[in-house]
Amino acid sequence: MIGAGPICSEQSYDRGLEGLVAGDTAIGEVDGLRGRLLYRGYPVEQLVERASFEEVTYLVLFGEMPSAQQLAEWKAELIRWRHPPTAAVDALRRVPAEAHPLAQYRTMLTVAACHIPEPENTELDAQWRRPARILSWTADLAASAIRHLRREEPVAPRDDLGYAANFLYQTLGRVPSAETARAFEASLVVQAEHGLHAAAFSALVVISTGADLGSAVLAGMGALSGARHGGANQLAFQMLAGLRDPDHAREWAREALARGHRFPGFGHRVYKCPDPRVAALEPFAETLLTAHGKEHLWQIYLALREEVEGALGGKGIFANVDSITGLLYHPIGLPVSAFPIPFCLAIQTGWMAHCLEYLPGGKVIAPGAVYVG
Amino acid sequence: MTKLRTLSSGFDWRADHVDWPVTTDVGAGLAGVVAAETRVMWLDPSSGQLAYRGVPIEALATGPDFEEVAHLLITGMGSEEDPKGLAEFRRQVRSSRSLPTDVIDLVRGLDPSTHPTRMLRAGVSALGCHELSAEDDLAGRRHWEELRIVGQVAALVGEICRFRGGHGPRPPKDGCSLAEGLLAALNDRPPQADEVRALDLLWILYAAHGLDAPTFTSMVVASCLADPYYNIVAGLSALRGPKTGGASEEVLAQLLPLRDTAEAELWVRRTLDEGGVIAGFGHRTYHMPDPRVVILRKEVAAMARSRGRVDLFEVARAVESAATRALAPRGIFININFYGALLFHLLGAEPSLGPCLVAVGRMAGMAALVREALDTIRLYRPLSRYVGPPERDLDQETRS
């Protein structure tokens, strides 16, 4: 448990707390040397093949795969919370449609938080019941935010659809094909938890003050909205979309490599080997892009990846998850500026798990600053 | 490589420079960890000294107003070094107080019983939607440069005060100071000079205090290059926690029902005997009295005298003395929230408005620290040690 105290009472680390071991966790293992990602001990590749997003959220939050009955109850709980306060959706009328969808989504969530009864904000016990509410409210609000971009009215949820399919239904206004829903769900599964990345860390700082889970998630979203974090899948996709064909991609990549360009969607603070999430999602991206007549994008991606990894792989720079998710979200029909949203919906599971793990005894997180004036 | 004994009293959190990587002590809650280098402020927990841009807090408490201190924090320039810059800064923060009607309507559309910090957060978020579009630079650096945020937050808090007080919306009078505008909104009348002075002082004292949880949250979010409004929404989320800004509400909940000094002493003794907590006592950073308390105590005494509330000050003094006698031997001392909450109360604010009022002052420090950090900032990403179940296989599980 991260708040209980340091691993060592003396440590060496770099700027950005790089290398600092902040504490223990039993939630996820990110092995950057072997390229392994495990949730509660299960490899993510297996979960993609075999588990629904609902099962994975249960696993990440509560530690074990649910039994049939537990899963049924968890799904019912998630469905029960699919109707956020109407005031939150109405808030969209008070913000310009040109605003960034993540900012609109943030505004709806801050308004929704005004409707959570006060004791639940401060009583620790009450917080344990809240992950389901946050997971489902956010999906509904995010879908409305994306529709608002296109000046379309919100769509009511459908209880017969799972989390992933319902989100796409509420966003696009039509029930997705089984293939599309499965690909999208896979992207949620591989992004449900990723250790103490910057967004999870900011959520943890907020929860350490005794604040509520919703506040912690808002801070995480803030971190994730940044260009260096969740925004990276937008930039990575825009880079690909600007390339004409595989030859152009290779030529541009070689030229960009020569001038030391930093490629969005490549390289990772932890993974110094291929990102396991990329391999897990690539088959889905290929299938979807081909089915939507966008195979050229797939070929461009492969060409670019080969060039960049060929040149920089020796330095531990490989494609990361941000390079591939856009290739799923684009054929599904999500606008580019909405690409960080599915990442947000998935990864908040991990943030909440870290928060719940931290809560019982965690100290307020407040490091120091050295005055050099 | 620099090696720093950060948790020993010999280290005063000053250095000519930091050679990264560093080796430091690491305590619970990352105490002792060096998360930034700064020229904005210096805080030395063991001597209790606090200075903004090299000027001791004691000097700042007797001279300039909040706007001048905010300008000093953000730019590093005092009024004499840069009088033109200060005048321009005053003009900018004051003129940024006109809020879009949609934002005021959104706040006024909220359930009136909503906690004010949540209203403020929703208002800041909506304001961000009006200020930035999807086409803008995600990092929104420009907006940290323009410093509109300090004035905008002051205006929003003013509107929230008016909403809570049952008054209709009204923007601050053109050209009045941030403190004048806020007090006029709070009490729906022109403020008196000593009230303006007191609020300026509170904001100055609350403006910056190292990397406390709200400020550090903002730094982490800023390190991802998020837009400034996301930053503030995240910081405000940490400000409300009962272990940080929320503490000032608890102070008043405890102090106001006490009738006299005898009851106050009895209450302290009983509370501590029962293992209870005296709000406004205890601070992670200081293991000695918070230097800001001395300044505030004097101010509260004066304000209580002029408002005929000497009884309240005496009760507070009695609680302070009794609690200090009992707690000081255990290293627990009074903190800024004790007299800070009382002064907000004497200025006419209901207890739940405390964290919002603190937030206005805190914006200056946050803007200064984040702006400074943006030049060299690196993504904050510490590691964790995995202690969960060893690798396992879904196939080998029999699931009931």
Side-chain angles (χ1 to χ4, degrees), chain B residues 233-285:
Chain B
V233 165
L236 290 173
S237 296
L239 187 70
R240 166 71 201 293
K243 294 180 191 170
T244 52
S248 67
E249 290 175 74
E250 196 50 34
V251 170
L252 292 174
Q254 291 185 346
L255 282 185
L256 294 183
L258 301 172
R259 276 167 315 203
D260 53 43
T261 54
E263 193 183 356
E265 279 166 25
L266 191 67
W267 172 79
V268 169
R269 210 172 319 130
R270 213 176 38 231
T271 305
L272 292 175
D273 285 348
E274 288 165 3
V277 171
I278 310 287
F281 273 74
H283 197 286
R284 233 296 273 293
T285 310

Side-chain angles (χ1 to χ4, degrees), chain A residues 9 12-13 18 20 22-23 25 36 40-42 46 50 55 98 106-107 118 212 215 269 364 366 368, chain B residues 23-24 26 33-35 118 121 125 134 240 284 378-379 383 385 387 391-395 397 399:
Chain A
S9 57
S12 301
Y13 48 91
E18 182 175 0
L20 178 80
T25 180
R36 301 284 285 156
R40 304 281 187 181
Y42 296 108
Q46 247 189 26
R50 308 272 300 279
E55 285 173 289
E98 299 74 38
R106 167 193 76 202
T107 303
E118 197 52 22
D212 58 297
S215 292
R269 182 82 78 86
V364 179
Chain B
T23 303
T24 69
V26 182
V33 167
V34 177
R118 291 191 177 254
R121 192 171 67 177
S125 181
R240 166 71 201 293
R284 233 296 273 293
R378 255 197 109 200
L379 195 71
L383 300 169
R385 183 175 66 179
V387 293
E391 185 161 343
R392 45 188 175 164
D393 196 325
L394 280 172
D395 293 318
E397 311 256 320
R399 285 160 58 192

Side-chain angles (χ1 to χ4, degrees), chain B residues 5 34 37 73 90-91 97 108 179 183 216 221 235 241 271 274 280 303 317 384 400:
Chain B
R5 287 270 76 94
V34 177
E37 298 152 83
L73 274 167
R90 286 191 196 276
R91 196 193 59 74
R97 284 180 296 182
R108 286 189 170 262
L183 285 164
F216 187 52
V221 172
T271 305
E274 288 165 3
M303 187 64 76
R317 275 300 269 164
S384 51
S400 50

Side-chain angles (χ1 to χ4, degrees), chain B residues 192-254:
Chain B
Q192 292 164 17
D194 66 340
E195 292 173 329
V196 175
R197 176 68 212 136
L199 185 56
D200 270 323
L201 176 68
L202 278 164
W203 281 345
I204 290 167
L205 297 181
Y206 271 111
H209 205 246
L211 303 184
D212 60 351
T215 308
F216 187 52
T217 305
S218 275
M219 301 265 288
V220 177
V221 172
S223 83
C224 305
L225 302 184
D227 85 57
Y229 294 87
Y230 241 125
N231 238 288
I232 291 170
V233 165
L236 290 173
S237 296
L239 187 70
R240 166 71 201 293
K243 294 180 191 170
T244 52
S248 67
E249 290 175 74
E250 196 50 34
V251 170
L252 292 174
Q254 291 185 346

Side-chain angles (χ1 to χ4, degrees), chain A residues 27 38-42 44 47 56 59-60 189-193:
Chain A
I27 298 164
L38 308 172
Y39 299 165
R40 304 281 187 181
Y42 296 108
V44 78
L47 292 166
V56 169
L59 170 72
V60 169
V189 166
V190 304
Q191 298 183 94
E193 148 66 10

